[in-house]
Amino acid sequence: MTDTTLDTDAAYDALVVGGGVAGLTAATYLARADLSTLVVVGEESILRRNAHLENVPGFPAGVNPRLFADMLREQAERSGAHLRTGLVEGVTGGVGAFTAALGDESVVTTARVVAASWADADYLDGLGVDVRDAGSKRYVEEHALGRTSVDGVYAAGRVAERYHQAVVAAGHGAEAAITLLHDAEVPFY
């Protein structure tokens, strides 16, 4: 069991589903605010499939997307986030007491959830999160600042129907994390 900041019996304060730009950015913010944060990293981030990443502030000539992804991962880990490879099959419960079933048949308990996965929200069906079906994609309907229709569940990046731009995903991951911190009354500045 990890040391948690929020006053719950959960193993983690926050579970971030997805290890792409939005998820790792959210994890960095959450871990830096001393929340015990677990990131479940599924398949390879779409970022790694790009040949070159442009339009990123601070990188006027662009940046290698694999290097950028590695830097995001290292920053999240350095901030205190725990990363684990796997897939989240389903999430049940409620604020302060969510349970995530992983593909290897293990379970993780968490106080809050940040969905930052690819545009497939099936793993949230057990919670009744509002989603929008768009062909093969299922987007989480964001209500405000990363909040969803379920208390304690936040959405960031592509699963919340944000554009496929690294800067947009990073900003939305940060916004969802800061909103979670605000809602949980955790100081973050």
Side-chain angles (χ1 to χ4, degrees):
M1 185 163 214
T2 57
D3 249 355
T4 58
T5 299
L6 302 180
D7 190 20
T8 71
D9 292 327
Y12 290 94
D13 292 318
L15 168 67
V16 178
V17 182
V21 177
L24 291 173
T25 301
T28 297
Y29 275 77
L30 297 170
R32 288 187 69 184
D34 285 332
L35 265 61
S36 174
T37 303
L38 174 65
V39 182
V40 177
V41 180
E43 298 175 8
E44 179 181 60
S45 169
I46 196 165
L47 175 67
R48 291 184 172 279
R49 299 180 204 157
N50 291 300
H52 192 71
L53 188 60
E54 297 177 345
N55 301 322
V56 178
F59 296 93
V63 64
N64 177 301
R66 287 157 296 289
L67 172 63
F68 190 70
D70 290 344
M71 291 168 64
L72 289 170
R73 182 183 183 108
E74 290 166 10
Q75 184 178 15
E77 290 178 320
R78 196 171 45 253
S79 296
H82 304 275
L83 277 71
R84 175 177 175 175
T85 302
L87 293 175
V88 174
E89 299 288 332
V91 180
T92 57
V95 67
F98 292 104
T99 300
L102 304 185
D104 64 1
E105 299 185 15
S106 64
V107 296
V108 173
T109 58
T110 184
R112 307 282 194 283
V113 177
V114 177
S117 57
W118 180 243
D120 180 1
D122 290 349
Y123 60 93
L124 298 172
D125 285 348
L127 296 174
V129 171
D130 291 342
V131 297
R132 185 180 80 75
D133 291 314
S136 64
K137 296 177 176 69
R138 298 188 72 217
Y139 298 110
V140 173
E141 291 187 4
E142 179 191 11
H143 289 226
L145 304 172
R147 292 182 187 95
T148 70
S149 60
V150 174
D151 285 344
V153 178
Y154 302 81
R158 194 64 191 140
V159 76
E161 205 168 357
R162 289 302 188 268
Y163 293 116
H164 286 277
Q165 297 294 317
V167 173
V168 173
H172 199 229
E175 179 180 63
I178 291 171
T179 302
L180 184 159
L181 294 169
H182 172 80
D183 292 350
E185 298 180 357
V186 174
F188 55 92
Y189 286 116

